[in-house]
Amino acid sequence: MSVALADELHRLGEEGSTGVLRAGDGEFHLVRGTIASVGCGRTIGLDRLVVEAGVATAEDWRRAGAGDPGPLLDQPQLETLALLSVFDAAYFLLASAGEPEFRPTTEHWLAPVCHIAPRALVHECERRTDNEYGPWTADLVTLVPVVPARRIKRNQVVLTGSQAEVLAAADTRRSIADIARDLGRTTYGCLVAVRDLTTAGLIEAPEPVSIEQPQRGRHLALAPDPADHRSSTRSATTVPTLPRRVPGSAGPTRPQQETGARQGRHAIDEEATATARHRGKPAGAGEPERWQQVDRETLIRLRAALEELA
């Protein structure tokens, strides 16, 4: 983890600063010392997440970015998706080298629904870093293609729906970041799925590569078409994905071998835990009535997101 970036986030939080902190291939948006949004060139943007979840249209998001969020801020799903996006992007930015640069700006429009204390964010990213295992490091998500195993051992392996999607999308050409964008998933969730699939013997371990630092100052904007995010090396044929689980189906399990596969955690549970920690209330404590408006399709997508880090 970048000590310089973590220290700068702590300093800005203590000073109650408002502005943009650029680092690596992304940026942190701070409002009065708390983090309202984070963008990274290696992760899917919040714009894509809200559109995929049906929370807003691309035009709704453009208007919100121009200063007219309208009813979008009243959507209960927006806070959950904002947390997923922030922790996903921050995990990779905090692993980047380079000196951060801060520039004061006006308040980000997401501040009313997303305000994470820098210390809570850094602590969660440190916890995720402590849980890293296997040869797939954060630096490889854009550099190495995901290759299915050529020979599979005759061990019983049980996959979650998300792991099955990632495995089906592995085509020897797309990287983890490419797969995440094509599936509309968080990059960290796909990274954990690839780690588990590698442990289970279904994905080849990555070849050693020389890692170069990403360009500075890059920021993800809304893409009019998801295809714009895809790798230039991707073939024209779309890899089919498996259907997601629906409510009432058997609970997800992790890949298991005779030696046992590593157990993970649910994506939204992780984000909710970190958020609850900095707000001073136990994880899972919330206001159930806020979620009564969520439609069935959104619940199905959120359940699939939960499986990413199971």
Side-chain angles (χ1 to χ4, degrees):
M1 174 173 290
S2 171
V3 176
L5 179 54
D7 288 345
E8 183 67 2
L9 283 172
H10 291 155
R11 183 186 68 80
L12 294 172
E14 292 173 353
E15 294 179 355
S17 302
T18 297
V20 176
L21 179 64
R22 299 186 182 277
D25 60 341
E27 55 194 27
F28 297 80
H29 292 263
L30 293 98
V31 177
R32 296 186 296 277
T34 63
I35 298 170
S37 177
V38 183
C40 176
R42 287 163 284 173
T43 63
I44 185 173
L46 178 57
D47 51 358
R48 172 82 183 280
L49 288 176
V50 297
V51 172
E52 288 286 330
V55 175
T57 65
E59 184 58 31
D60 291 336
W61 190 262
R62 291 190 184 94
R63 285 200 301 267
D68 180 24
L72 182 57
L73 290 177
D74 298 327
Q75 293 286 343
Q77 305 99 311
L78 181 61
E79 181 179 359
T80 299
L81 296 175
L83 289 172
L84 281 173
S85 175
V86 165
F87 284 105
D88 188 33
Y91 170 76
F92 294 99
L93 291 183
L94 283 167
S96 303
E99 290 296 325
E101 299 175 359
F102 179 74
R103 175 173 56 88
T105 62
T106 57
E107 294 187 3
H108 196 281
W109 66 272
L110 278 170
V113 297
C114 186
H115 34 84
I116 305 170
R119 290 192 179 277
L121 181 68
V122 172
H123 177 76
E124 172 62 13
C125 292
E126 286 177 340
R127 189 190 64 78
R128 291 185 176 189
T129 302
D130 291 341
N131 290 338
E132 287 182 353
Y133 61 98
W136 290 96
T137 62
D139 298 314
L140 300 182
V141 294
T142 59
L143 300 178
V144 179
V146 181
V147 180
R150 297 174 178 83
R151 295 182 179 180
I152 300 177
K153 297 180 180 180
R154 299 182 64 180
N155 294 331
Q156 183 178 2
V157 178
V158 180
L159 303 180
T160 66
S162 296
Q163 291 167 343
E165 281 189 327
V166 171
L167 181 60
D171 57 3
T172 75
R173 292 183 295 275
R174 287 185 289 184
S175 67
I176 293 176
D178 293 330
I179 291 174
R181 292 189 181 109
D182 289 343
L183 297 180
R185 304 283 190 183
T186 62
T187 303
Y188 179 73
C190 288
L191 172 60
V192 172
V194 168
R195 286 170 175 168
D196 287 337
L197 291 168
T198 303
T199 300
L202 301 178
I203 293 292
E204 296 283 353
E207 296 290 337
V209 295
S210 59
I211 299 174
E212 298 179 358
Q213 293 301 323
Q215 296 180 352
R216 296 179 61 84
R218 180 181 175 187
H219 176 65
L220 284 182
L222 177 66
D225 189 330
D228 294 341
H229 292 295
R230 297 174 185 171
S231 170
S232 59
T233 58
R234 182 188 173 194
S235 65
T237 304
T238 301
V239 178
T241 58
L242 299 183
R244 298 181 175 87
R245 296 177 183 269
V246 297
S249 62
T253 56
R254 304 300 298 169
Q256 296 178 351
Q257 293 180 297
E258 292 176 356
T259 57
R262 175 186 178 274
Q263 299 296 322
R265 292 189 60 187
H266 293 306
I268 295 180
D269 286 346
E270 291 194 349
E271 320 305 357
T273 299
T275 306
R277 188 182 300 119
H278 90 268
R279 290 182 178 175
K281 59 184 180 181
E287 301 173 0
E289 62 273 16
R290 293 187 63 193
W291 300 95
Q292 292 178 359
Q293 302 179 24
V294 183
D295 59 82
R296 181 173 178 274
E297 180 62 23
T298 300
L299 288 174
I300 293 174
R301 290 192 58 78
L302 288 178
R303 175 167 181 155
L306 281 169
E307 295 176 358
E308 291 186 4
L309 297 183

